[in-house]
Amino acid sequence: MAGAEQLNPLEQFEIHRLIPIEIGGVDVSFTNSSLWMVIAITLVTLFLTLSVRRRALVPGRWQSLAELAYEFIANMIRDNVGQEGRRFFPFIFTLFMFILFGNMLGLIPYSFTYTSHIIVTVTLALTVFLGITIVGIVRHGLRFFAFFMPQGVPIAMMPLMIPIEILSYLSRPVSLSIRLFANMMAGHTMMKVFAGFVVILGLFGGWAPLLVDVALTGFEVLIAFLQAYVFTILTCLYLNDTIHLH
Amino acid sequence: MKKGDSPSLDDLDARLKEARARKARPGEAGEGKAIAHRTGLGLAFRIGTELVSALIVGVGIGWLLDRWLGTAPWFLVVFLFLGAGAGIMNVYRTVNRLGLAVGYRSQEAGEDRPADEEEKD
Amino acid sequence: MPQLDSSTFPTQIVWLVICFIVLYLLMWKVALPRIAAVLEARRSRIDDDLDRASALKEEAAQALAAYEASLAEAHARAQAELRAAAEQLAAETSARQADLVARLKAETAAAEARIARAKQQALKNIAAVAAEAAQAATARLIGVNVGEPALRKAIDAAMGDEE
């Protein structure tokens, strides 16, 4: 019977150093996480550049997909941030594609989901949060902090509302990162658990968890897209808050 | 007699107008928003993480302040409550934006104006 | 939980930053401009086509209007000519009719004159015949030869009574 480690559903999240590198005492090895990040950005770039190589006026399948992705994000920015958001289009597009491909690639057997690590999602979320805050401060100066004083609140409630508003604002990167990380980790853990059941139940009982796993895979494809979408659209909304409401 | 003689011209005219209108109309991203937010599990996750993350931030700040100032559990308690309040406000705003709050007029698909948080207080 | 193994944090952060920046640069400089170019080309082509279509539609509408105008004009002209011809025909007809009527009247008058003359002639003949008959009759019946003037006087008186 297989050892306990092989049925450990959390084992799939372990980082393996493929090429150990150390610079200035800091470990910057090329790990499985890094590998799949590189694979993701390669695929994104290849997809987008090769599919529009023909620049056809009536697009074929791949070109339609690339145009669809472009317009999807462009519309999202235009609807949620407005015209000033056009400057941020490359960043938001990169963000969306990076998370989307990260989530999707994790569904390949024996691959690694780099978005299932809290440190990766925290870094992404913090970058977005700090970037947006800086944009807000640069744009509005010190009036930016008027954001924390909601309108229509009686003065007496202010000492209560201001800290709450600040906390709410600070909770944004936390919620962004936890949401993405938790979804990915929970989904993949469930799939691994049911896969373990398939092995345990063997030939006669194994078809039931196998069916569940098939359904889960389909569900996880949807979640992969959904979480990338939610992360991106929240970024747009937060950006809109900072740009417009001050 | 003129209209009856040239049905193809009128038809062409109508099609031209429709083609121009279709170009001028902004995209239907509102629909995508509605689709994304309607999955039960996705929605639950979103609302849950808003509440939990606010609590985490509140407790984190409270705990850090306690360690820094040595005031045993007081800041932790205060910020626990503040975090809970912030979390509930987060949930309220999220649900508002999705148009699910009670007594709130829907601002879903088709709206070009981005959702503003402040006016919903 | 492997995610909380903080020894892996630096490598993940470093490679995340590297990959994200590389992807950002690629998107910003290479991929997105190309897609934007394709979309822009299509949009301007569609705009051009729409403009040309509406220009052609205008032309077609104008051509149709001109055609229908000339058709109406030709129609009106044909009507006018028909009317003129009909009027002319009517005028000729009535002229000829009047002519005919006049001729008939003239012939009628001539005939009547002829009839009157004939009648006069006949009357004169009757007077002569009656005179002869009366002479013969008186000669035979009473054996008197009445003289011509007395005869004529008697007949004239008889005819005068009758008239």
Side-chain angles (χ1 to χ4, degrees), chain B residues 45-83:
Chain B
F45 241 110
R46 276 207 61 192
I47 295 182
T49 50
E50 301 275 355
L51 184 58
V52 165
S53 53
L55 266 177
I56 290 179
V57 170
V59 166
I61 290 184
W63 185 69
L64 281 174
L65 277 177
D66 268 347
R67 269 187 59 169
W68 184 39
L69 298 176
T71 56
W74 300 119
F75 270 120
L76 183 62
V77 168
V78 166
F79 275 91
L80 175 71
F81 282 107
L82 284 181

mmCIF file of all heavy atoms in Angstrom, chain B residues 45-83:
data_model
loop_
_atom_site.group_PDB
_atom_site.id
_atom_site.type_symbol
_atom_site.label_atom_id
_atom_site.label_comp_id
_atom_site.label_asym_id
_atom_site.label_seq_id
_atom_site.Cartn_x
_atom_site.Cartn_y
_atom_site.Cartn_z
ATOM 1 N N PHE B 45 -17.560 32.709 -1.245
ATOM 2 C CA PHE B 45 -16.152 32.929 -0.982
ATOM 3 C C PHE B 45 -15.843 34.425 -0.896
ATOM 4 O O PHE B 45 -15.124 34.881 -0.007
ATOM 5 C CB PHE B 45 -15.316 32.299 -2.087
ATOM 6 C CG PHE B 45 -14.397 31.232 -1.584
ATOM 7 C CD1 PHE B 45 -14.624 29.910 -1.880
ATOM 8 C CD2 PHE B 45 -13.321 31.573 -0.793
ATOM 9 C CE1 PHE B 45 -13.780 28.938 -1.393
ATOM 10 C CE2 PHE B 45 -12.463 30.605 -0.310
ATOM 11 C CZ PHE B 45 -12.694 29.281 -0.614
ATOM 12 N N ARG B 46 -16.400 35.198 -1.858
ATOM 13 C CA ARG B 46 -16.124 36.631 -1.876
ATOM 14 C C ARG B 46 -16.567 37.276 -0.584
ATOM 15 O O ARG B 46 -15.808 38.006 0.051
ATOM 16 C CB ARG B 46 -16.877 37.278 -3.025
ATOM 17 C CG ARG B 46 -16.157 37.183 -4.326
ATOM 18 C CD ARG B 46 -16.562 38.325 -5.182
ATOM 19 N NE ARG B 46 -16.203 39.579 -4.523
ATOM 20 C CZ ARG B 46 -16.628 40.756 -4.914
ATOM 21 N NH1 ARG B 46 -17.443 40.826 -5.919
ATOM 22 N NH2 ARG B 46 -16.259 41.849 -4.303
ATOM 23 N N ILE B 47 -17.798 37.017 -0.200
ATOM 24 C CA ILE B 47 -18.335 37.684 0.980
ATOM 25 C C ILE B 47 -17.590 37.214 2.218
ATOM 26 O O ILE B 47 -17.250 38.010 3.095
ATOM 27 C CB ILE B 47 -19.843 37.409 1.080
ATOM 28 C CG1 ILE B 47 -20.534 38.049 -0.114
ATOM 29 C CG2 ILE B 47 -20.400 37.937 2.372
ATOM 30 C CD1 ILE B 47 -22.016 37.894 -0.098
ATOM 31 N N GLY B 48 -17.317 35.902 2.261
ATOM 32 C CA GLY B 48 -16.609 35.385 3.414
ATOM 33 C C GLY B 48 -15.237 36.006 3.579
ATOM 34 O O GLY B 48 -14.858 36.432 4.675
ATOM 35 N N THR B 49 -14.506 36.091 2.470
ATOM 36 C CA THR B 49 -13.153 36.613 2.609
ATOM 37 C C THR B 49 -13.164 38.090 2.981
ATOM 38 O O THR B 49 -12.258 38.559 3.671
ATOM 39 C CB THR B 49 -12.343 36.447 1.311
ATOM 40 O OG1 THR B 49 -13.099 36.956 0.233
ATOM 41 C CG2 THR B 49 -11.996 35.017 1.073
ATOM 42 N N GLU B 50 -14.195 38.825 2.535
ATOM 43 C CA GLU B 50 -14.246 40.240 2.943
ATOM 44 C C GLU B 50 -14.334 40.341 4.457
ATOM 45 O O GLU B 50 -13.632 41.142 5.092
ATOM 46 C CB GLU B 50 -15.456 40.933 2.312
ATOM 47 C CG GLU B 50 -15.507 40.919 0.806
ATOM 48 C CD GLU B 50 -14.714 42.061 0.209
ATOM 49 O OE1 GLU B 50 -14.220 42.910 0.966
ATOM 50 O OE2 GLU B 50 -14.571 42.087 -1.018
ATOM 51 N N LEU B 51 -15.201 39.543 5.035
ATOM 52 C CA LEU B 51 -15.376 39.597 6.484
ATOM 53 C C LEU B 51 -14.107 39.126 7.202
ATOM 54 O O LEU B 51 -13.590 39.782 8.118
ATOM 55 C CB LEU B 51 -16.569 38.711 6.877
ATOM 56 C CG LEU B 51 -16.963 38.713 8.339
ATOM 57 C CD1 LEU B 51 -17.295 40.123 8.771
ATOM 58 C CD2 LEU B 51 -18.155 37.801 8.570
ATOM 59 N N VAL B 52 -13.596 37.980 6.767
ATOM 60 C CA VAL B 52 -12.443 37.395 7.453
ATOM 61 C C VAL B 52 -11.219 38.286 7.341
ATOM 62 O O VAL B 52 -10.481 38.491 8.320
ATOM 63 C CB VAL B 52 -12.156 35.995 6.864
ATOM 64 C CG1 VAL B 52 -10.794 35.518 7.272
ATOM 65 C CG2 VAL B 52 -13.215 35.020 7.318
ATOM 66 N N SER B 53 -11.013 38.841 6.150
ATOM 67 C CA SER B 53 -9.799 39.633 5.970
ATOM 68 C C SER B 53 -9.849 40.908 6.810
ATOM 69 O O SER B 53 -8.825 41.322 7.371
ATOM 70 C CB SER B 53 -9.582 39.959 4.502
ATOM 71 O OG SER B 53 -10.721 40.556 3.970
ATOM 72 N N ALA B 54 -11.031 41.495 6.944
ATOM 73 C CA ALA B 54 -11.117 42.689 7.787
ATOM 74 C C ALA B 54 -10.817 42.317 9.235
ATOM 75 O O ALA B 54 -10.115 43.053 9.950
ATOM 76 C CB ALA B 54 -12.502 43.310 7.666
ATOM 77 N N LEU B 55 -11.343 41.175 9.663
ATOM 78 C CA LEU B 55 -11.055 40.714 11.015
ATOM 79 C C LEU B 55 -9.561 40.483 11.210
ATOM 80 O O LEU B 55 -8.981 40.863 12.228
ATOM 81 C CB LEU B 55 -11.800 39.404 11.290
ATOM 82 C CG LEU B 55 -13.154 39.561 11.955
ATOM 83 C CD1 LEU B 55 -13.802 38.207 12.103
ATOM 84 C CD2 LEU B 55 -13.003 40.213 13.303
ATOM 85 N N ILE B 56 -8.959 39.844 10.201
ATOM 86 C CA ILE B 56 -7.528 39.563 10.297
ATOM 87 C C ILE B 56 -6.746 40.862 10.431
ATOM 88 O O ILE B 56 -5.856 41.002 11.281
ATOM 89 C CB ILE B 56 -7.041 38.768 9.071
ATOM 90 C CG1 ILE B 56 -7.594 37.355 9.116
ATOM 91 C CG2 ILE B 56 -5.524 38.757 9.009
ATOM 92 C CD1 ILE B 56 -7.182 36.523 7.944
ATOM 93 N N VAL B 57 -7.076 41.827 9.582
ATOM 94 C CA VAL B 57 -6.355 43.096 9.642
ATOM 95 C C VAL B 57 -6.569 43.748 11.009
ATOM 96 O O VAL B 57 -5.618 44.235 11.639
ATOM 97 C CB VAL B 57 -6.815 44.022 8.505
ATOM 98 C CG1 VAL B 57 -6.267 45.411 8.708
ATOM 99 C CG2 VAL B 57 -6.367 43.475 7.184
ATOM 100 N N GLY B 58 -7.839 43.744 11.459
ATOM 101 C CA GLY B 58 -8.115 44.359 12.754
ATOM 102 C C GLY B 58 -7.347 43.684 13.871
ATOM 103 O O GLY B 58 -6.631 44.344 14.661
ATOM 104 N N VAL B 59 -7.432 42.366 13.932
ATOM 105 C CA VAL B 59 -6.742 41.635 14.994
ATOM 106 C C VAL B 59 -5.234 41.815 14.867
ATOM 107 O O VAL B 59 -4.527 42.012 15.869
ATOM 108 C CB VAL B 59 -7.134 40.147 14.935
ATOM 109 C CG1 VAL B 59 -6.208 39.328 15.781
ATOM 110 C CG2 VAL B 59 -8.553 39.981 15.391
ATOM 111 N N GLY B 60 -4.748 41.780 13.630
ATOM 112 C CA GLY B 60 -3.310 41.939 13.418
ATOM 113 C C GLY B 60 -2.817 43.276 13.953
ATOM 114 O O GLY B 60 -1.837 43.361 14.702
ATOM 115 N N ILE B 61 -3.519 44.336 13.570
ATOM 116 C CA ILE B 61 -3.106 45.669 14.022
ATOM 117 C C ILE B 61 -3.206 45.772 15.537
ATOM 118 O O ILE B 61 -2.312 46.300 16.213
ATOM 119 C CB ILE B 61 -3.952 46.749 13.342
ATOM 120 C CG1 ILE B 61 -3.602 46.827 11.868
ATOM 121 C CG2 ILE B 61 -3.728 48.091 14.008
ATOM 122 C CD1 ILE B 61 -4.308 47.922 11.132
ATOM 123 N N GLY B 62 -4.318 45.236 16.050
ATOM 124 C CA GLY B 62 -4.503 45.297 17.495
ATOM 125 C C GLY B 62 -3.391 44.575 18.233
ATOM 126 O O GLY B 62 -2.807 45.096 19.205
ATOM 127 N N TRP B 63 -3.056 43.403 17.757
ATOM 128 C CA TRP B 63 -2.029 42.620 18.409
ATOM 129 C C TRP B 63 -0.672 43.320 18.330
ATOM 130 O O TRP B 63 0.101 43.368 19.294
ATOM 131 C CB TRP B 63 -1.984 41.244 17.769
ATOM 132 C CG TRP B 63 -1.054 40.282 18.408
ATOM 133 C CD1 TRP B 63 -1.169 39.709 19.633
ATOM 134 C CD2 TRP B 63 0.154 39.789 17.844
ATOM 135 N NE1 TRP B 63 -0.112 38.867 19.864
ATOM 136 C CE2 TRP B 63 0.718 38.903 18.782
ATOM 137 C CE3 TRP B 63 0.813 39.998 16.627
ATOM 138 C CZ2 TRP B 63 1.900 38.234 18.555
ATOM 139 C CZ3 TRP B 63 2.001 39.321 16.415
ATOM 140 C CH2 TRP B 63 2.538 38.451 17.363
ATOM 141 N N LEU B 64 -0.376 43.866 17.134
ATOM 142 C CA LEU B 64 0.899 44.553 16.954
ATOM 143 C C LEU B 64 0.984 45.765 17.879
ATOM 144 O O LEU B 64 2.015 46.012 18.521
ATOM 145 C CB LEU B 64 1.060 45.008 15.507
ATOM 146 C CG LEU B 64 1.489 43.903 14.547
ATOM 147 C CD1 LEU B 64 1.484 44.405 13.120
ATOM 148 C CD2 LEU B 64 2.865 43.396 14.918
ATOM 149 N N LEU B 65 -0.105 46.518 17.966
ATOM 150 C CA LEU B 65 -0.108 47.686 18.835
ATOM 151 C C LEU B 65 0.082 47.268 20.291
ATOM 152 O O LEU B 65 0.794 47.935 21.055
ATOM 153 C CB LEU B 65 -1.426 48.450 18.684
ATOM 154 C CG LEU B 65 -1.466 49.406 17.497
ATOM 155 C CD1 LEU B 65 -2.833 50.054 17.391
ATOM 156 C CD2 LEU B 65 -0.401 50.459 17.647
ATOM 157 N N ASP B 66 -0.553 46.159 20.668
ATOM 158 C CA ASP B 66 -0.391 45.674 22.036
ATOM 159 C C ASP B 66 1.053 45.318 22.322
ATOM 160 O O ASP B 66 1.610 45.674 23.356
ATOM 161 C CB ASP B 66 -1.277 44.445 22.258
ATOM 162 C CG ASP B 66 -2.620 44.841 22.813
ATOM 163 O OD1 ASP B 66 -2.747 46.001 23.240
ATOM 164 O OD2 ASP B 66 -3.529 44.005 22.826
ATOM 165 N N ARG B 67 1.678 44.636 21.398
ATOM 166 C CA ARG B 67 3.072 44.249 21.616
ATOM 167 C C ARG B 67 3.968 45.477 21.704
ATOM 168 O O ARG B 67 4.879 45.564 22.512
ATOM 169 C CB ARG B 67 3.547 43.365 20.473
ATOM 170 C CG ARG B 67 3.323 41.898 20.737
ATOM 171 C CD ARG B 67 3.945 41.052 19.668
ATOM 172 N NE ARG B 67 5.393 41.304 19.588
ATOM 173 C CZ ARG B 67 6.216 40.544 18.880
ATOM 174 N NH1 ARG B 67 5.717 39.536 18.193
ATOM 175 N NH2 ARG B 67 7.489 40.812 18.821
ATOM 176 N N TRP B 68 3.695 46.447 20.861
ATOM 177 C CA TRP B 68 4.530 47.638 20.786
ATOM 178 C C TRP B 68 4.350 48.506 22.026
ATOM 179 O O TRP B 68 5.309 49.036 22.569
ATOM 180 C CB TRP B 68 4.157 48.395 19.518
ATOM 181 C CG TRP B 68 4.968 49.594 19.242
ATOM 182 C CD1 TRP B 68 6.303 49.762 19.419
ATOM 183 C CD2 TRP B 68 4.469 50.811 18.731
ATOM 184 N NE1 TRP B 68 6.681 51.010 19.024
ATOM 185 C CE2 TRP B 68 5.575 51.686 18.594
ATOM 186 C CE3 TRP B 68 3.198 51.259 18.333
ATOM 187 C CZ2 TRP B 68 5.436 52.981 18.106
ATOM 188 C CZ3 TRP B 68 3.091 52.542 17.852
ATOM 189 C CH2 TRP B 68 4.194 53.403 17.751
ATOM 190 N N LEU B 69 3.132 48.651 22.484
ATOM 191 C CA LEU B 69 2.854 49.544 23.590
ATOM 192 C C LEU B 69 2.697 48.800 24.897
ATOM 193 O O LEU B 69 2.551 49.421 25.944
ATOM 194 C CB LEU B 69 1.570 50.343 23.308
ATOM 195 C CG LEU B 69 1.630 51.235 22.087
ATOM 196 C CD1 LEU B 69 0.285 51.900 21.845
ATOM 197 C CD2 LEU B 69 2.712 52.284 22.284
ATOM 198 N N GLY B 70 2.686 47.459 24.829
ATOM 199 C CA GLY B 70 2.608 46.679 26.056
ATOM 200 C C GLY B 70 1.263 46.771 26.766
ATOM 201 O O GLY B 70 1.144 46.397 27.926
ATOM 202 N N THR B 71 0.240 47.264 26.155
ATOM 203 C CA THR B 71 -1.065 47.386 26.825
ATOM 204 C C THR B 71 -1.857 46.113 26.588
ATOM 205 O O THR B 71 -2.579 45.985 25.610
ATOM 206 C CB THR B 71 -1.856 48.543 26.210
ATOM 207 O OG1 THR B 71 -1.971 48.306 24.808
ATOM 208 C CG2 THR B 71 -1.169 49.847 26.460
ATOM 209 N N ALA B 72 -1.727 45.197 27.509
ATOM 210 C CA ALA B 72 -2.102 43.793 27.339
ATOM 211 C C ALA B 72 -3.199 43.506 26.324
ATOM 212 O O ALA B 72 -2.913 43.470 25.145
ATOM 213 C CB ALA B 72 -2.374 43.136 28.676
ATOM 214 N N PRO B 73 -4.435 43.282 26.700
ATOM 215 C CA PRO B 73 -5.285 42.876 25.581
ATOM 216 C C PRO B 73 -6.137 43.998 25.036
ATOM 217 O O PRO B 73 -6.978 43.764 24.199
ATOM 218 C CB PRO B 73 -6.176 41.810 26.222
ATOM 219 C CG PRO B 73 -6.307 42.205 27.638
ATOM 220 C CD PRO B 73 -5.180 43.153 27.973
ATOM 221 N N TRP B 74 -5.983 45.247 25.552
ATOM 222 C CA TRP B 74 -6.994 46.242 25.245
ATOM 223 C C TRP B 74 -7.060 46.577 23.765
ATOM 224 O O TRP B 74 -8.123 46.599 23.155
ATOM 225 C CB TRP B 74 -6.743 47.519 26.061
ATOM 226 C CG TRP B 74 -6.785 47.242 27.511
ATOM 227 C CD1 TRP B 74 -5.785 47.404 28.414
ATOM 228 C CD2 TRP B 74 -7.886 46.689 28.225
ATOM 229 N NE1 TRP B 74 -6.175 46.995 29.654
ATOM 230 C CE2 TRP B 74 -7.477 46.546 29.568
ATOM 231 C CE3 TRP B 74 -9.192 46.302 27.874
ATOM 232 C CZ2 TRP B 74 -8.308 46.049 30.548
ATOM 233 C CZ3 TRP B 74 -10.015 45.800 28.862
ATOM 234 C CH2 TRP B 74 -9.576 45.686 30.182
ATOM 235 N N PHE B 75 -5.897 46.865 23.172
ATOM 236 C CA PHE B 75 -5.929 47.212 21.743
ATOM 237 C C PHE B 75 -6.447 46.055 20.918
ATOM 238 O O PHE B 75 -7.150 46.245 19.913
ATOM 239 C CB PHE B 75 -4.527 47.612 21.258
ATOM 240 C CG PHE B 75 -4.247 49.069 21.392
ATOM 241 C CD1 PHE B 75 -3.210 49.523 22.176
ATOM 242 C CD2 PHE B 75 -5.062 49.993 20.748
ATOM 243 C CE1 PHE B 75 -2.961 50.871 22.307
ATOM 244 C CE2 PHE B 75 -4.823 51.350 20.887
ATOM 245 C CZ PHE B 75 -3.772 51.792 21.674
ATOM 246 N N LEU B 76 -6.083 44.852 21.347
ATOM 247 C CA LEU B 76 -6.549 43.691 20.597
ATOM 248 C C LEU B 76 -8.070 43.657 20.582
ATOM 249 O O LEU B 76 -8.691 43.474 19.531
ATOM 250 C CB LEU B 76 -6.000 42.410 21.235
ATOM 251 C CG LEU B 76 -6.350 41.118 20.507
ATOM 252 C CD1 LEU B 76 -5.765 41.135 19.121
ATOM 253 C CD2 LEU B 76 -5.814 39.924 21.275
ATOM 254 N N VAL B 77 -8.653 43.877 21.759
ATOM 255 C CA VAL B 77 -10.116 43.829 21.848
ATOM 256 C C VAL B 77 -10.735 44.925 20.990
ATOM 257 O O VAL B 77 -11.644 44.682 20.198
ATOM 258 C CB VAL B 77 -10.553 43.974 23.323
ATOM 259 C CG1 VAL B 77 -12.033 44.211 23.399
ATOM 260 C CG2 VAL B 77 -10.164 42.734 24.088
ATOM 261 N N VAL B 78 -10.218 46.142 21.189
ATOM 262 C CA VAL B 78 -10.789 47.273 20.444
ATOM 263 C C VAL B 78 -10.708 47.012 18.942
ATOM 264 O O VAL B 78 -11.690 47.159 18.207
ATOM 265 C CB VAL B 78 -10.043 48.575 20.815
ATOM 266 C CG1 VAL B 78 -10.373 49.656 19.818
ATOM 267 C CG2 VAL B 78 -10.423 49.006 22.210
ATOM 268 N N PHE B 79 -9.529 46.602 18.519
ATOM 269 C CA PHE B 79 -9.387 46.423 17.072
ATOM 270 C C PHE B 79 -10.095 45.182 16.569
ATOM 271 O O PHE B 79 -10.409 45.076 15.381
ATOM 272 C CB PHE B 79 -7.910 46.399 16.672
ATOM 273 C CG PHE B 79 -7.352 47.769 16.461
ATOM 274 C CD1 PHE B 79 -6.757 48.454 17.490
ATOM 275 C CD2 PHE B 79 -7.495 48.393 15.236
ATOM 276 C CE1 PHE B 79 -6.277 49.734 17.306
ATOM 277 C CE2 PHE B 79 -7.015 49.667 15.031
ATOM 278 C CZ PHE B 79 -6.408 50.352 16.075
ATOM 279 N N LEU B 80 -10.341 44.242 17.489
ATOM 280 C CA LEU B 80 -11.166 43.113 17.087
ATOM 281 C C LEU B 80 -12.543 43.614 16.693
ATOM 282 O O LEU B 80 -13.083 43.261 15.626
ATOM 283 C CB LEU B 80 -11.269 42.102 18.242
ATOM 284 C CG LEU B 80 -12.198 40.930 17.982
ATOM 285 C CD1 LEU B 80 -11.574 40.006 16.953
ATOM 286 C CD2 LEU B 80 -12.473 40.168 19.256
ATOM 287 N N PHE B 81 -13.120 44.451 17.535
ATOM 288 C CA PHE B 81 -14.441 44.967 17.219
ATOM 289 C C PHE B 81 -14.438 45.869 16.004
ATOM 290 O O PHE B 81 -15.339 45.818 15.166
ATOM 291 C CB PHE B 81 -15.021 45.717 18.432
ATOM 292 C CG PHE B 81 -15.549 44.798 19.469
ATOM 293 C CD1 PHE B 81 -14.872 44.608 20.649
ATOM 294 C CD2 PHE B 81 -16.725 44.108 19.237
ATOM 295 C CE1 PHE B 81 -15.357 43.739 21.602
ATOM 296 C CE2 PHE B 81 -17.217 43.243 20.196
ATOM 297 C CZ PHE B 81 -16.534 43.049 21.378
ATOM 298 N N LEU B 82 -13.386 46.711 15.933
ATOM 299 C CA LEU B 82 -13.306 47.578 14.761
ATOM 300 C C LEU B 82 -13.179 46.749 13.486
ATOM 301 O O LEU B 82 -13.794 47.057 12.453
ATOM 302 C CB LEU B 82 -12.113 48.529 14.878
ATOM 303 C CG LEU B 82 -12.299 49.711 15.828
ATOM 304 C CD1 LEU B 82 -11.071 50.566 15.838
ATOM 305 C CD2 LEU B 82 -13.510 50.521 15.410
ATOM 306 N N GLY B 83 -12.373 45.696 13.595
ATOM 307 C CA GLY B 83 -12.202 44.841 12.422
ATOM 308 C C GLY B 83 -13.509 44.176 12.033
ATOM 309 O O GLY B 83 -13.851 44.075 10.852
#
